[in-house]
PDB file of all heavy atoms in Angstrom:
ATOM      1  N   ILE M 578     119.490  51.809 -20.055  1.00 90.00           N
ATOM      2  CA  ILE M 578     118.137  51.268 -19.821  1.00 90.00           C
ATOM      3  C   ILE M 578     117.832  51.245 -18.324  1.00 90.00           C
ATOM      4  O   ILE M 578     116.733  51.612 -17.885  1.00 90.00           O
ATOM      5  CB  ILE M 578     117.998  49.860 -20.421  1.00 90.00           C
ATOM      6  CG1 ILE M 578     118.134  49.918 -21.950  1.00 90.00           C
ATOM      7  CG2 ILE M 578     116.655  49.239 -20.030  1.00 90.00           C
ATOM      8  CD1 ILE M 578     117.116  50.784 -22.643  1.00 90.00           C
ATOM      9  N   ILE M 579     118.813  50.817 -17.522  1.00 92.00           N
ATOM     10  CA  ILE M 579     118.649  50.835 -16.064  1.00 92.00           C
ATOM     11  C   ILE M 579     118.412  52.264 -15.592  1.00 92.00           C
ATOM     12  O   ILE M 579     117.615  52.525 -14.674  1.00 92.00           O
ATOM     13  CB  ILE M 579     119.893  50.240 -15.370  1.00 92.00           C
ATOM     14  CG1 ILE M 579     119.998  48.740 -15.665  1.00 92.00           C
ATOM     15  CG2 ILE M 579     119.845  50.486 -13.868  1.00 92.00           C
ATOM     16  CD1 ILE M 579     118.856  47.908 -15.107  1.00 92.00           C
ATOM     17  N   ASN M 580     119.077  53.204 -16.218  1.00 87.00           N
ATOM     18  CA  ASN M 580     118.897  54.619 -15.898  1.00 87.00           C
ATOM     19  C   ASN M 580     117.446  55.044 -16.123  1.00 87.00           C
ATOM     20  O   ASN M 580     116.849  55.768 -15.314  1.00 87.00           O
ATOM     21  CB  ASN M 580     119.843  55.442 -16.779  1.00 87.00           C
ATOM     22  CG  ASN M 580     120.069  56.849 -16.266  1.00 87.00           C
ATOM     23  OD1 ASN M 580     119.789  57.163 -15.113  1.00 87.00           O
ATOM     24  ND2 ASN M 580     120.573  57.709 -17.127  1.00 87.00           N
ATOM     25  N   ILE M 581     116.861  54.588 -17.209  1.00 88.00           N
ATOM     26  CA  ILE M 581     115.459  54.902 -17.502  1.00 88.00           C
ATOM     27  C   ILE M 581     114.537  54.268 -16.469  1.00 88.00           C
ATOM     28  O   ILE M 581     113.611  54.905 -15.960  1.00 88.00           O
ATOM     29  CB  ILE M 581     115.078  54.429 -18.916  1.00 88.00           C
ATOM     30  CG1 ILE M 581     115.833  55.241 -19.969  1.00 88.00           C
ATOM     31  CG2 ILE M 581     113.574  54.554 -19.143  1.00 88.00           C
ATOM     32  CD1 ILE M 581     115.630  54.752 -21.391  1.00 88.00           C
ATOM     33  N   VAL M 582     114.799  52.996 -16.130  1.00 92.00           N
ATOM     34  CA  VAL M 582     113.971  52.294 -15.139  1.00 92.00           C
ATOM     35  C   VAL M 582     113.984  53.053 -13.811  1.00 92.00           C
ATOM     36  O   VAL M 582     112.936  53.288 -13.190  1.00 92.00           O
ATOM     37  CB  VAL M 582     114.477  50.847 -14.939  1.00 92.00           C
ATOM     38  CG1 VAL M 582     113.758  50.186 -13.752  1.00 92.00           C
ATOM     39  CG2 VAL M 582     114.260  50.017 -16.205  1.00 92.00           C
ATOM     40  N   GLY M 583     115.165  53.460 -13.366  1.00 92.00           N
ATOM     41  CA  GLY M 583     115.271  54.197 -12.114  1.00 92.00           C
ATOM     42  C   GLY M 583     114.542  55.523 -12.167  1.00 92.00           C
ATOM     43  O   GLY M 583     113.898  55.937 -11.193  1.00 92.00           O
ATOM     44  N   THR M 584     114.623  56.186 -13.310  1.00 85.00           N
ATOM     45  CA  THR M 584     113.943  57.470 -13.456  1.00 85.00           C
ATOM     46  C   THR M 584     112.429  57.310 -13.392  1.00 85.00           C
ATOM     47  O   THR M 584     111.726  58.128 -12.791  1.00 85.00           O
ATOM     48  CB  THR M 584     114.355  58.140 -14.783  1.00 85.00           C
ATOM     49  OG1 THR M 584     115.775  58.308 -14.786  1.00 85.00           O
ATOM     50  CG2 THR M 584     113.685  59.494 -14.941  1.00 85.00           C
ATOM     51  N   VAL M 585     111.906  56.250 -14.012  1.00 88.00           N
ATOM     52  CA  VAL M 585     110.465  55.981 -13.949  1.00 88.00           C
ATOM     53  C   VAL M 585     110.040  55.735 -12.505  1.00 88.00           C
ATOM     54  O   VAL M 585     108.996  56.231 -12.048  1.00 88.00           O
ATOM     55  CB  VAL M 585     110.097  54.775 -14.834  1.00 88.00           C
ATOM     56  CG1 VAL M 585     108.646  54.351 -14.594  1.00 88.00           C
ATOM     57  CG2 VAL M 585     110.302  55.114 -16.309  1.00 88.00           C
ATOM     58  N   ILE M 586     110.845  54.984 -11.752  1.00 91.00           N
ATOM     59  CA  ILE M 586     110.553  54.754 -10.333  1.00 91.00           C
ATOM     60  C   ILE M 586     110.474  56.086  -9.589  1.00 91.00           C
ATOM     61  O   ILE M 586     109.558  56.326  -8.789  1.00 91.00           O
ATOM     62  CB  ILE M 586     111.619  53.845  -9.697  1.00 91.00           C
ATOM     63  CG1 ILE M 586     111.538  52.440 -10.291  1.00 91.00           C
ATOM     64  CG2 ILE M 586     111.445  53.785  -8.171  1.00 91.00           C
ATOM     65  CD1 ILE M 586     112.686  51.529  -9.879  1.00 91.00           C
ATOM     66  N   ALA M 587     111.433  56.972  -9.861  1.00 89.00           N
ATOM     67  CA  ALA M 587     111.440  58.278  -9.201  1.00 89.00           C
ATOM     68  C   ALA M 587     110.205  59.091  -9.572  1.00 89.00           C
ATOM     69  O   ALA M 587     109.610  59.762  -8.714  1.00 89.00           O
ATOM     70  CB  ALA M 587     112.712  59.043  -9.578  1.00 89.00           C
ATOM     71  N   MET M 588     109.812  59.057 -10.836  1.00 82.00           N
ATOM     72  CA  MET M 588     108.644  59.812 -11.279  1.00 82.00           C
ATOM     73  C   MET M 588     107.373  59.334 -10.577  1.00 82.00           C
ATOM     74  O   MET M 588     106.481  60.121 -10.279  1.00 82.00           O
ATOM     75  CB  MET M 588     108.488  59.695 -12.793  1.00 82.00           C
ATOM     76  CG  MET M 588     109.590  60.417 -13.564  1.00 82.00           C
ATOM     77  SD  MET M 588     109.493  60.126 -15.345  1.00 82.00           S
ATOM     78  CE  MET M 588     108.014  61.058 -15.749  1.00 82.00           C
TER      79      MET M 588
END
Side-chain angles (χ1 to χ4, degrees):
I578 295 300
I579 292 296
N580 198 17
I581 293 174
V582 171
T584 302
V585 171
I586 293 171
M588 291 174 70

